[in-house]
Amino acid sequence: MNIYVETNFVLELTFEQEQCSSCEQILQLCEAGKAKLIVPAYSLAEPHEKLSRQARSRRELQQSLDAELRQLSRTAPYTSRIKSIQDIASLMIQSNEEERHRFVQCRARLLKVGEIIALNVNILCEAASYETTYDLTPQDALVYASVITHLRRDLPEQACFLNRNSKDFDSPDITDELRQLNCRMIPRFDRGYSFIQSRLPSERSQA
């Protein structure tokens, strides 16, 4: 089975969000050779932007908070209460480093086990048309064009496209276009994991 994922799959693993465990289980299935993970190249590049933007925002907040704490520390009644707030400021900086480390680890695993759909002229042109046809953002159009291009070339017997952008991708036209290429659109990673499990041969049938 071909499993197509997008940027949010990488972000779930990086930030350890609520569907992280399902993403990890999907990744482990692919590492075990039970399914084929396919990732648009753009979905490995886009997290850099989010990480950088978030780190910058946290640094600015931390600097602002430090300035306020210096003012408060001059007032005796507040001195003993400042330590816990300083810990919060330190956590913001520490979280930046930890998240970047997890992203590097996640990316290494994806590069090792997954097939990466490289951006090319055809995909860029397709993406431009999908922005209008399906009213997708430029980012989502790039991901979708990558998935559709690969599906048309690979013609898998069964496939699924897992994402968390249900408002963008879960439209009847997109769902139908994917279905014609034997691909199920699933807008949650936990539901995607259940679907994949239901399609895998059982251990008994393999014996």
Side-chain angles (χ1 to χ4, degrees):
M1 175 186 288
N2 283 8
I3 303 173
Y4 297 87
V5 297
E6 43 87 45
T7 306
N8 283 306
F9 184 85
V10 184
L11 295 178
E12 286 287 321
L13 292 167
T14 298
F15 295 120
E16 298 185 341
Q17 296 173 333
E18 61 270 15
Q19 294 183 49
C20 171
S21 61
S22 296
C23 295
E24 176 62 32
Q25 288 170 317
I26 291 167
L27 182 53
Q28 288 180 9
L29 282 176
C30 296
E31 288 175 329
K34 296 181 178 181
K36 184 178 180 181
L37 190 69
I38 303 168
V39 189
Y42 181 75
S43 292
L44 288 177
E46 191 176 17
H48 283 286
E49 180 185 355
K50 180 175 177 62
L51 284 167
S52 298
R53 184 173 63 249
Q54 185 167 277
R56 182 168 59 251
S57 175
R58 286 174 180 171
R59 282 195 299 270
E60 291 172 354
L61 179 59
Q62 189 250 353
Q63 290 168 359
S64 177
L65 187 57
D66 283 346
E68 293 296 330
L69 290 177
R70 283 194 295 270
Q71 288 294 325
L72 288 172
S73 66
R74 300 172 63 185
T75 303
Y78 298 145
T79 303
S80 62
R81 299 162 60 184
I82 286 177
K83 180 63 170 65
S84 61
I85 303 176
Q86 289 175 325
D87 289 341
I88 294 174
S90 175
L91 174 62
M92 289 190 292
I93 299 302
Q94 182 181 349
S95 65
N96 287 337
E97 298 173 356
E98 291 176 351
E99 287 164 357
R100 184 163 293 279
H101 177 67
R102 285 198 298 270
F103 169 67
V104 170
Q105 288 185 317
C106 172
R107 181 182 59 190
R109 292 175 68 190
L110 292 172
L111 289 173
K112 184 175 181 179
V113 72
E115 179 180 345
I116 310 303
I117 309 173
L119 280 175
N120 57 39
V121 173
N122 290 336
I123 289 176
L124 291 171
C125 291
E126 287 274 359
S129 69
Y130 284 134
E131 288 181 45
T132 302
T133 304
Y134 295 136
D135 194 27
L136 294 175
T137 65
Q139 295 89 340
D140 289 338
L142 279 171
V143 169
Y144 186 64
S146 297
V147 171
I148 286 294
T149 298
H150 190 280
L151 280 167
R152 289 171 179 163
R153 186 191 71 204
D154 207 50
L155 297 175
E157 292 184 6
Q158 58 178 345
C160 57
F161 174 34
L162 312 183
N163 59 79
R164 286 200 63 179
N165 289 352
S166 58
K167 292 181 180 179
D168 296 323
F169 293 122
D170 195 11
S171 77
D173 290 336
I174 287 178
T175 300
D176 185 58
E177 185 173 28
L178 289 169
R179 187 184 296 115
Q180 291 177 27
L181 294 166
N182 300 324
C183 183
R184 175 83 66 91
M185 210 291 298
I186 304 176
R188 286 185 61 90
F189 297 120
D190 48 4
R191 293 177 188 169
Y193 178 58
S194 297
F195 171 78
I196 294 163
Q197 280 191 310
S198 72
R199 295 301 190 275
L200 291 178
S202 66
E203 294 296 332
R204 182 176 299 176
S205 65
Q206 289 180 332

